[in-house]
Amino acid sequence: MINGEAFSSIDFVGQCLVDKERTQAFEQEISGIQNLSEKTVLDIGTGSGVLALIAARCGAKKVYAIEYDPFVAAIAQKNIDLNKFNSVIEILHGDARTLSLSGLHFDVVIAEMLTTGLVEEHQVEAMNNLQEQGVVDENTIFLPSKQSMSMELVSYNNKQHGVSFDFPVHLWKWHDWSDFQIQNMSENKEVSTVFLNKINSMETILETSLKIIGDGEVNGLIIRGKTHFPSGAIIEDTEALNAPILLPINPQNLKIGDSLKFKLSYSFGKGFDFFKIDI
Ligand SMILES: C[S@@+](CC[C@H](N)C(=O)[O-])C[C@H]1O[C@@H](n2cnc3c(N)ncnc32)[C@H](O)[C@@H]1O
């Protein structure tokens, strides 16, 4: 993967669109915003334009929609034309990590460039760009407002088709993972929360220890993501968002009651190349 850009394909944009649980959760939040007709909205990573279109349909005064993939941006424009929202929605073609937005101010920021642990995609850097430019303030509503992550240790079968594999896997719920024979080997513990309405360091270090609940070999770590909205609503593992990540770790033989201490460090949005686990 090249620098967290795995989710830029049109294929994934289509999968986001049909993920009802995810899209309806955003729609619920957008439709609940008071006086939207007086508000300027920014939709970051607009993809098909679905969230920008929902904001426009809910009556937003003006919607700016950022997309950096030229092919996807042209598709979003087509969809805006098709739905006759050209006078409300304006596509800004550029990279949300660096795009200059000077002269603008946003009352609502919608951003779905989320992945479990914010490991891939550019959500954190894009939010930092908004804060650094002063185009948002303490009254700006962020959808979502925070992203949290939890971890648990597992044992799993890393042999598939008769050969052994060692790489991180997104456990998308539409695939059958039964051949992996994943077994929980520890408690699941919440280890971090990233607030998306403030500047965050791009580097993160998570140190924790997990209590073992079964005797045997542990060879994997599962990271789970949760997306939080200002209303208190939460989305967990949906068809296109927050797939649990299974990370291989050096096998360890452990007993019930043991604790495994480890440190995980990575850079937000840089993907697995920059992931490091110390046990
Ligand atoms: C997960 S999709 C979400 C699409 C849409 N917002 C939705 O909710 O269905 C993320 C989108 O963000 C775009 N994107 C990713 N990184 C970006 C960046 N740095 N600047 C602008 N767009 C970006 C991708 O091309 C993709 O269209």
Side-chain angles (χ1 to χ4, degrees):
M1 189 190 61
I2 303 165
N3 287 338
E5 291 169 0
F7 292 103
S8 304
S9 76
I10 194 64
D11 187 32
F12 197 72
V13 165
Q15 285 173 32
C16 287
L17 184 65
V18 299
D19 180 347
K20 284 204 179 111
E21 188 182 350
R22 182 204 74 109
T23 309
Q24 286 173 356
F26 274 90
E27 179 163 12
Q28 188 113 21
E29 294 295 314
I30 295 165
S31 62
I33 295 172
Q34 303 284 304
N35 306 320
L36 195 57
S37 61
E38 295 162 18
K39 294 192 168 24
T40 300
V41 176
L42 177 64
D43 176 31
I44 302 187
T46 201
S48 64
V50 59
L51 302 180
L53 285 161
I54 288 171
R57 192 180 62 202
C58 288
K61 181 171 78 174
K62 177 81 190 169
V63 182
Y64 293 93
I66 303 179
E67 176 57 55
Y68 76 162
D69 181 322
F71 181 63
V72 176
I75 281 168
Q77 186 62 60
K78 256 193 190 171
N79 295 334
I80 292 160
D81 296 346
L82 192 65
N83 289 281
K84 301 188 171 47
F85 277 115
N86 322 53
S87 60
V88 182
I89 308 175
E90 187 175 327
I91 297 277
L92 304 175
H93 181 216
D95 190 325
R97 291 171 291 181
T98 50
L99 188 68
S100 169
L101 298 161
S102 67
L104 297 174
H105 180 270
F106 305 108
D107 306 301
V108 179
V109 173
I110 303 167
E112 206 288 68
M113 299 194 296
L114 299 161
T115 54
T116 301
L118 301 163
V119 176
E120 297 139 311
E121 295 228 66
H122 305 142
Q123 186 99 3
V124 173
E125 208 169 347
M127 295 298 115
N128 285 353
N129 184 33
L130 302 182
Q131 297 289 348
E132 281 157 8
Q133 290 188 54
V135 294
V136 290
D137 62 29
E138 67 282 1
N139 297 318
T140 300
I141 298 165
F142 286 84
L143 306 179
S145 49
K146 52 185 182 170
Q147 180 80 359
S148 60
M149 96 179 192
S150 65
M151 292 179 186
E152 75 215 31
L153 293 159
V154 295
S155 76
Y156 75 105
N157 172 22
N158 63 357
K159 285 196 184 66
Q160 303 299 320
H161 313 285
V163 280
S164 300
F165 291 97
D166 184 337
F167 66 98
V169 179
H170 280 107
L171 300 173
W172 291 112
K173 52 168 43 168
W174 24 271
H175 286 306
D176 176 5
W177 297 100
S178 54
D179 285 350
F180 274 55
Q181 297 165 17
I182 298 170
Q183 277 182 40
N184 285 14
M185 294 295 283
S186 79
E187 63 178 327
N188 175 281
K189 201 191 242 183
E190 192 142 310
V191 288
S192 80
T193 299
V194 177
F195 290 85
L196 298 165
N197 61 347
K198 65 181 197 66
I199 292 190
N200 287 285
S201 160
M202 289 299 293
E203 311 302 321
T204 186
I205 297 178
L206 306 170
E207 278 189 278
T208 193
S209 77
L210 293 173
K211 206 168 272 166
I212 301 298
I213 57 167
D215 294 343
E217 190 185 82
V218 168
N219 63 349
L221 176 69
I222 289 191
I223 304 174
R224 298 182 188 279
K226 274 190 198 169
T227 300
H228 302 252
F229 290 101
S231 67
I234 292 174
I235 15 182
E236 298 189 42
D237 174 17
T238 73
E239 286 183 5
L241 180 62
N242 291 332
I245 300 170
L246 172 60
L247 277 175
I249 60 171
N250 283 337
Q252 317 274 321
N253 261 310
L254 297 162
K255 289 201 173 62
I256 297 179
D258 286 350
S259 284
L260 191 64
K261 224 177 162 182
F262 59 90
K263 190 163 105 176
L264 194 67
S265 51
Y266 62 99
S267 306
F268 290 121
K270 300 280 192 241
F272 293 99
D273 298 353
F274 298 83
F275 229 97
K276 193 166 170 292
I277 304 177
D278 298 321
I279 292 178

